[in-house]
Structure formats: structure tokens, C-alpha cells
Amino acid sequence: MVETGVTNNFVPGLEGIVAAQTRLSSVDGQAGELIIAGFPVEELAGQATFEETVYLLWHDSLPTAPQLAEFRAALAARREVPATTMDLLRAAASQKVAVIDALRMAAGTLTLAEPDELESQALALTAAFPTMVAAYWRLLNGQEPLAPRPDLGHAANYLAMLFGQTPSAEQARGLETYLNTVVDHGMNASTFTARVIISTQSDLVSAAVGALGALKGPLHGGAPGPALDMVFEIGDAANAETYLRQKLAQGERLMGFGHRVYKVRDPRAEVLSAAAARMFQGNGHQALYQLSRQVEQTAVALLAEYKPGRNLQTNVEFYTALLLHGLGLTPDLFTPTFAIGRVAGWLAHCFEQQQLNRLIRPQSVYVGSKDRRWIPLEQRV
Ligand code: ACO
């Protein structure tokens, strides 16, 4: 049915439609500029700890030293997850459920201890994500989960819970840069999902679970695994052109390229490429980094040839794959690790939405028929 007041201005994918005002991040797709709570991503990502970035998003100012110490402690104190959550993860591991799906299921079990205090709920959710992912990944690989380390920061603790070793300062910095880079990004699909859910006066856990479902798809947060597979399949820069031409000729999309908003190189790709270069210098995988640069250049050139006028450039996922691989993460951890960063952004958007809430409820234009007549079952052919 045509709803009252609807015009015929249907915009597929809501492209270009403004759905919120936000002070959290600004994405300029023409200039290739990302501002996070006032800071260019290039300035924030490599310097802030993840805790500082989360505080900045939730409080709109950088924390002082005492505020940061308190915030870090509050987050660290909430890293243990309920026994029910761990039981569910064990059951999921016995069924070999994918890590991102196990995270979605486990996040749904989080009954929030402090239901009236929004920041406590948000801290509990943010703190639990790395614990759930690391515990599940170990169970999936036949290992027992490791207890969280309250002495470590959010990023370092995640790596320690995965691998059972204290990460080096460079590794922790590399992951911290990644998490800061992906923490918020305008009205992306998962953030929009979170805002829609919270606009119904639902709860933060429901918003995070819904957002996880949106993040998982390959057109959003599910691209880095396939992007890395592509680099490994190419194997040698000499094979890049033939391989990529074949994919494009078959009408396939190259994972890690193209973006709804960016029509120039995604600024996050630059930040992550620089972070990957620093990390790969120290760990002997320099050849893989060089190969990725060559694959990127060839892909961008071929995309211009096959899709002229589309301005398809490298997006965040291409170097996400490389950086996370360099940290020892397996591809099934890439999207869950994206979620570990982005959950803080989802929650910040939930706070914003709650402040000036108006139920998000767009309209649709009916294009079906209007003159059908009921046919009894026995007469249908
Ligand atoms: N490889 C090949 N062709 C592409 C690619 C790509 N990566 N991206 C877009 N195109 C083509 C489309 O086939 C289409 O061609 P056509 O006009 O001949 O049909 C044209 O470019 C425009 O594509 P749209 O789908 O309209 O562009 P949209 O803005 O919806 O796409 C998207 C953005 C979904 C990210 C797309 O570029 C894509 O699928 N990329 C690959 C997946 C990926 O890397 N996802 C991660 C995105 S970053 C993030 O969410 C964190």
C-alpha cells in the first residue's frame, strides 16, 4: 500500500540520504577525508590507545590521566564473561560455527549487570567482545580459553587471550591503530542498524547483535578474508594482471576495492598500509607487503579499465587483511576483530540516538498489484 505522505522519491540503498546528525565522525568521500570526533584519522589512529578513542567518542573530549586510568580499569574489570556465555561458546565450537556467528550468538547472551546505567552497559559490551572472540577461537582450535589480563590494555589483552603471549609493543600498537581506524565511520550499514534498533527504545545488546549481523556481509565487514585469499592466490606480482582480468571479465567484484562514499582512496587504507609497512619491516614478511602493493596498483588500474567512471579505489578492507595477518590473526578473525573496534562506535551512536530520539521509520512505495481476488485453495492451478 502507498503510505500516507509518501512521494515517489525512492532511493535504492538510501544513497545520499541523510539519516542522522552526528558529532562522532565525518566522511568526505570526494576529498578522501575521515574525521573522528574532531581528529583526522591520520592523527588519531597511530597515537591514541583504543581506550582513549572510546572515551573520546563517548564523552566528546580526550580523557585526562586520572580519567583514562579510571576508564581503563572500568573496562578491564568487565572482561570476564558470564558462565552461560562460555557454555554457549563451547556448544558452538562443537558444531564448528563460524567465529563471527559465534560472536553474534554469544553477544546475545550478555545479560547486562547494570541495566539502568548506560555507560556501564556499554563498558560491559565493549569489554566482552575480545574475550568472546578469543575464547571461541581457541575452543574452535582445540585449546582452552585464557583468562583476561587486567594488567594489559584492551588491544594487548586481546592478543594475549588469543595467543597466550604478551604481545610486543609494536604488535599492540599495530592492533590499536587498526581498532582506532575502524571505530566509527559515518552512517555505515551496521551503525545504521544499531541506530534503528535503539530508536525503538530497545536495548544496547540488541543494537550490538543486530549491527553484528549487518557487519558480517561481504559488502560491509566481511571483505578482508577474501581480499587476503586473493593476494595469496596471486602469489607472485607477475600473475596479478592475468588473475585480476579473469575475475573482472567474469563479472566478479574485487574484495577490498570500491566504496559507497569514497571515490578516492579510502584514507583508512593509507593509515593501515603505513602501519602494516612498519610491522612487516620487523617480522620478515616484507615480500608479502610488496606483493600486496603491486596487487593493489594492478587492481586499481584494471578497475578503471573495466568500470570506467566508477572511481573504484582501495578501501579499508584490503590493508586490514594484511595488517591483521601480520599480527598472526587467521582470516576467520578478521571480521570479528573489526567488530571489536566498531562496537564502541555503535554504542556511541546509540547514545546519540537516545538523546534526541525519534523512531527511525521510513516509508516504502508499493509497486505490487491492487486488484487481486481471493481464489480458494482447491481452485488454484
Ligand atoms: N570490483 C569490481 N567491480 C566493482 C567493485 C569491485 N570491488 N565495486 C563496485 N564495482 C562495480 C559494480 O559492479 C558496478 O558496476 P556496473 O555499474 O557495471 O554494474 C559499479 O562498480 C558500481 O557498483 P555499486 O554496487 O553500485 O557500488 P556501491 O556503492 O553499492 O558499492 C561496495 C560499494 C558494496 C563496497 C562495492 O564497491 C563492493 O562490492 N566492493 C567489494 C566488497 C568490499 O570491498 N567491501 C568492503 C567495503 S568497505 C566497508 O564496508 C568497511
Side-chain angles (χ1 to χ4, degrees):
M1 208 118 177
V2 179
E3 298 183 50
T4 315
V6 166
T7 68
N8 274 330
N9 295 337
F10 167 51
V11 180
L14 302 184
E15 190 163 355
I17 302 292
V18 175
Q21 289 182 316
T22 182
R23 58 158 186 80
L24 298 169
S25 64
S26 157
V27 183
D28 184 334
Q30 297 301 328
E33 185 184 79
L34 168 61
I35 306 280
I36 298 176
F39 293 92
V41 66
E42 295 82 358
E43 176 152 351
L44 186 77
Q47 305 198 70
T49 60
F50 185 62
E51 286 88 336
E52 283 174 292
T53 303
V54 178
Y55 188 99
L56 172 68
L57 284 180
W58 293 0
H59 297 274
D60 199 25
S61 65
L62 285 174
T64 61
Q67 285 169 335
L68 181 59
E70 193 185 328
F71 192 72
R72 274 185 65 139
L75 210 50
R78 289 168 171 82
R79 285 182 184 149
E80 297 275 359
V81 296
T84 340
T85 310
M86 213 43 102
D87 289 347
L88 179 129
L89 290 174
R90 285 184 193 279
S94 72
Q95 302 294 313
K96 301 271 177 239
V97 168
V99 184
I100 188 68
D101 291 323
L103 173 62
R104 172 179 47 75
M105 290 153 69
T109 67
L110 293 178
T111 41
L112 297 167
E114 295 123 312
D116 293 330
E117 223 275 79
L118 280 181
E119 182 149 336
S120 294
Q121 295 177 2
L123 283 164
L125 261 166
T126 306
F129 266 46
T131 309
M132 295 186 293
V133 173
Y136 184 71
W137 184 78
R138 288 182 68 86
L139 288 167
L140 201 55
N141 290 291
Q143 295 171 306
E144 273 304 297
L146 296 169
R149 296 254 315 263
D151 57 311
L152 296 177
H154 194 73
N157 171 62
Y158 173 48
L159 293 175
M161 285 192 299
L162 281 171
F163 304 126
Q165 287 171 1
T166 309
S168 68
E170 291 72 34
Q171 289 169 323
R173 182 65 258 164
L175 181 59
E176 207 123 53
T177 300
Y178 170 69
L179 296 175
N180 290 338
T181 302
V182 299
V183 70
D184 194 49
H185 199 246
M187 196 47 57
N188 61 87
S190 56
T191 297
F192 182 58
T193 305
R195 285 189 85 129
V196 169
I197 292 173
I198 212 71
S199 83
T200 70
Q201 294 186 353
S202 181
D203 60 286
L204 293 180
V205 170
S206 301
V209 170
L212 270 170
L215 184 75
K216 167 187 166 178
L219 299 191
H220 188 8
L228 187 68
D229 291 345
M230 185 174 77
V231 174
F232 280 128
E233 278 168 29
I234 290 172
D236 187 304
N239 305 330
E241 184 171 342
T242 314
Y243 177 98
L244 295 169
R245 270 192 195 284
Q246 204 175 10
K247 287 233 171 228
L248 289 167
Q250 288 166 350
E252 285 184 42
R253 290 186 179 218
L254 306 183
M255 294 294 129
F257 298 89
H259 198 274
R260 173 61 62 80
V261 180
Y262 291 120
K263 299 305 167 201
V264 295
R265 198 166 189 260
D266 185 333
R268 300 170 298 174
E270 198 52 57
V271 171
L272 296 183
S273 161
R278 276 195 299 279
M279 208 176 56
F280 278 76
Q281 252 163 18
N283 72 4
H285 287 93
Q286 195 61 15
L288 181 62
Y289 180 76
Q290 290 308 338
L291 172 63
S292 300
R293 296 291 296 196
Q294 284 153 340
V295 169
E296 179 192 11
Q297 279 162 18
T298 312
V300 170
L302 291 179
L303 283 167
E305 184 185 323
Y306 281 80
K307 300 283 173 186
R310 292 294 191 182
N311 296 323
L312 299 172
Q313 299 287 334
T314 319
N315 67 42
V316 65
E317 303 288 39
F318 189 75
Y319 284 102
T320 289
L322 196 64
L323 183 71
L324 297 185
H325 172 74
L327 286 168
L329 270 61
T330 48
D332 55 351
L333 287 170
F334 293 173
T335 307
T337 306
F338 189 169
I340 286 172
R342 183 57 62 86
V343 66
W346 294 333
L347 294 166
H349 275 271
C350 287
F351 297 154
E352 266 194 345
Q353 183 67 35
Q354 283 172 324
Q355 269 166 19
L356 283 175
N357 191 41
R358 176 134 179 95
L359 174 71
I360 298 177
R361 201 303 190 186
Q363 296 187 344
S364 51
V365 180
Y366 181 68
V367 294
S369 66
K370 288 182 184 167
D371 52 2
R372 286 189 170 147
R373 293 290 170 269
W374 183 252
I375 304 168
L377 183 59
E378 60 282 5
Q379 293 173 24
R380 286 179 218 159
V381 287

